[in-house]
Amino acid sequence: MSNQSNIDNETDKTNWGWEEHFIATLKDQQVRLITYVPDNVLSRLIRLVHQDDYFTVINASREEEAVAIIAGGWMAGLRGITLMQTSGFATLPNVLASLAIPFQIPVLMLVSERGTLGDHQLGQVIVCRTLRPILDCLNIENHTLETVEDVSFITSRTIRQAFSTQAPATLIISPKLYGR
């Protein structure tokens, strides 16, 4: 028997966390390849996608490697997304500007936002202040997920736009969503 998550069989979505809504949306949008660099905020999501045979899940050693795998997957006909935290995003401007953007590869990124709303880690705070300005400078579509109710809508529209325009896009998970 196939190892399918409860997301496929669950009819009562009222008990779903943001992770279940996110996974269901990835499936609806035929996103099958997931790369990630381990992150505590994303740990439940990572565990759930590992348990679901629908997805091919790869633990990358660095964010640049995760993006390169997604780019290769796109060239092979797969839709993918990479998962990371804010500080990991700080390593990506070069690979985005030299690979994803000029070659019109719709690299999807899910970034857990750190360094705001009381975060005490100075490194995270500094990087958080640069996240959106870098995305805007690179002209990368980005939206913030703040409530469970908005996860499916914002995620599906962002994914659809990324693939129809063949451009990278970023979903940022606010502490307002994961910290509640």
Side-chain angles (χ1 to χ4, degrees), residues 28-48:
D28 288 344
Q29 297 297 317
Q30 300 173 357
V31 175
R32 299 181 74 94
L33 177 61
I34 299 177
T35 62
Y36 69 94
V37 176
D39 173 45
N40 189 46
V41 170
L42 300 172
S43 62
R44 183 167 181 269
L45 174 64
I46 292 167
R47 188 174 61 256
L48 289 172

Side-chain angles (χ1 to χ4, degrees), residues 34 44 75 95 123 161 170:
I34 299 177
R44 183 167 181 269
M75 292 176 200
V95 73
Q161 182 173 342
T170 303

Side-chain angles (χ1 to χ4, degrees), residues 32-36 45-60 69 81 83:
R32 299 181 74 94
L33 177 61
I34 299 177
T35 62
Y36 69 94
L45 174 64
I46 292 167
R47 188 174 61 256
L48 289 172
V49 296
H50 265 291
Q51 294 170 356
D52 194 322
D53 288 339
Y54 180 84
F55 300 106
T56 299
V57 184
I58 300 170
N59 180 358
I69 293 166
I81 188 167
L83 318 175

